[in-house]
Amino acid sequence: MIYQNLEFSIADLYLLWRGLQWTLLVWSVSMALGIGLGFVLSLIRHARIPVLAQMVVVFVETFRNSPLLVQLFLVFYGLPMVTPFAPGPAEAAIFTLSINTAAFTVVNLVAALDAIPRGQWQAASSFGLSYRQTMLYVVLPQAIRTAIPPTMNLAISQLQTTSLVSIIGVTDLTRSGLVLYTRTLKPFIIWPIIGLVYFILAKVLSLLAARVERRLQAKNTWFEAAA
Amino acid sequence: MRIDFSPVLSRLDYLLEGLAVTVLVAVAAIFLSFALGLLLAICRISRTRGLRIFASVYIDVFRNTPFIVQLFFLYYGLPEIGIPTDPMPTGILALSLACAAGNAEIIRAGIETVSKGIVDAGRSFGMSGYQIYRYLILPNALRIAWRPLGNAFVNLVLTTSVLSTITVNDLAGNAANVSAETFKPFEVYLTVLVTYCAVTFTVSGIVNSIYALLFSRVAERPVMRGHA
């Protein structure tokens, strides 16, 4: 007879805890990298640097219009076959999620940059400000403020998306759920618990985001009143 | 390593079968999630407290938990309570349930942009609640909601790939099989990636055509003027 331990033990909590750590690690690192990369790409796109700007558009559209799962497979299984670069599960996960997040960030930030009226560029240049100075002191501070709420929403929704990295073997929260499920065969206990952890994380992040948004709003009202 | 697409081409028929499954699942789930989303949106703003609470809890739960967890819950959970699960129907069900929550929020936001004046006008003409919804509120609300709904549908198409984890033989699932057979993961997944792009561009195109067909005239109707 095959012995299978169908009961939960205290050690399973540790498994969940490790899973949670991996989820948060993959999420936070890839959000930081993705938003950073997205920022640089947005500047390239907005400045309409020939060739590079078009490449950014192709990159953004490709990664926004294909499933993250296939992107993960392409990086994890595909890259080692054609490049000397052979990432492990966690590296592949962070790399792919960063690129995916960057693509969505570009959309938000380019929209925010394009929303700055042309008049401000003209006014700045009539004051003798260079492109760099206008960008740095006039346009970016406003554009970033507009782009913060959608970027925060993106980051919150990407938290759910990180669950897909379990498929390439990252031992995140979802993976620990799978491990526990295959051992105990109790789907009605495990999946609600895993779901609940994600739910709580998302709620906490939403609360933080709402707080930041309120602050921004207060600042914007002050800005408009002063103007 | 050399990049060589010929193994992919030799298994093209199998990949196309996967594409057909992906399209089938996506179309079914788009219709179901739209219908369910509409119902939820109406419940969400209904005057009956029970319906309102049910809809907001449903939306909250499904939007804040990962799809894959919902999918595993249904796929591994339903047999426990005596309902046998086939991958494909379960996949369509999970996808519809999950995407309905997002659609409901989009449609609700659309309904909330319809000005109260239109509803009052309908009431003073003696229209019933159903008539007000059908002829006044929904055409306006759906026009506003249509483009965000289109984005949600594109997202749904991309999410169908997750069904391959419960052994649905969709494009992503068959791609994994071809990749294992041919040892050409890079070429296989790149081809599939581009195919998904083609599918989502098609979906966007259809969504835009429907907008032009149904809603471009709505704004011009005199009764809608107060709203815009």
Side-chain angles (χ1 to χ4, degrees), chain A residues 61-71 73-74 77-83 104 156 159-161 163-164 166-167 174 178 181 185-189 191-192 194-196 198-200 202-203 206, chain B residues 1-3 60-61 63-69 72-73 76-78 80-81 151 154 157-159 161-165 172 176 179 183-187 189-190 192-194 196-198 200-201 204:
Chain A
E61 290 309 319
T62 311
F63 280 87
R64 280 178 67 216
N65 286 294
S66 56
L68 182 74
L69 195 63
V70 176
Q71 294 166 15
F73 287 162
L74 183 67
Y77 298 116
L79 273 194
M81 303 296 265
V82 291
T83 60
F104 285 96
I156 294 171
L159 176 71
Q160 323 290 348
T161 318
S163 60
L164 292 182
S166 61
I167 303 301
T174 306
L178 265 172
Y181 167 70
L185 301 173
K186 290 193 176 82
F188 279 118
I189 299 173
W191 296 118
I194 302 286
L196 184 69
Y198 278 106
F199 185 86
I200 292 169
K203 282 288 156 193
S206 304
Chain B
M1 253 255 180
R2 230 157 46 82
I3 292 180
D60 219 25
V61 167
R63 291 187 75 198
N64 287 305
T65 51
F67 174 66
I68 198 168
V69 173
F72 287 162
F73 177 72
Y76 298 125
L78 287 182
E80 294 276 301
I81 51 169
N151 287 336
V154 165
V157 171
L158 299 181
T159 314
S161 64
V162 180
L163 301 190
S164 63
T165 59
S179 149
F183 295 109
K184 291 283 176 199
F186 184 79
E187 292 84 343
Y189 290 124
L190 193 64
V192 168
L193 198 94
V194 174
Y196 272 107
C197 288
T200 57
F201 285 140
S204 303

Side-chain angles (χ1 to χ4, degrees), chain B residues 99-121:
Chain B
C99 295
N103 291 351
E105 279 299 89
I106 295 169
I107 296 171
R108 182 186 60 90
I111 291 177
E112 280 174 355
T113 62
V114 178
S115 73
K116 206 158 172 326
I118 293 182
V119 179
D120 289 340

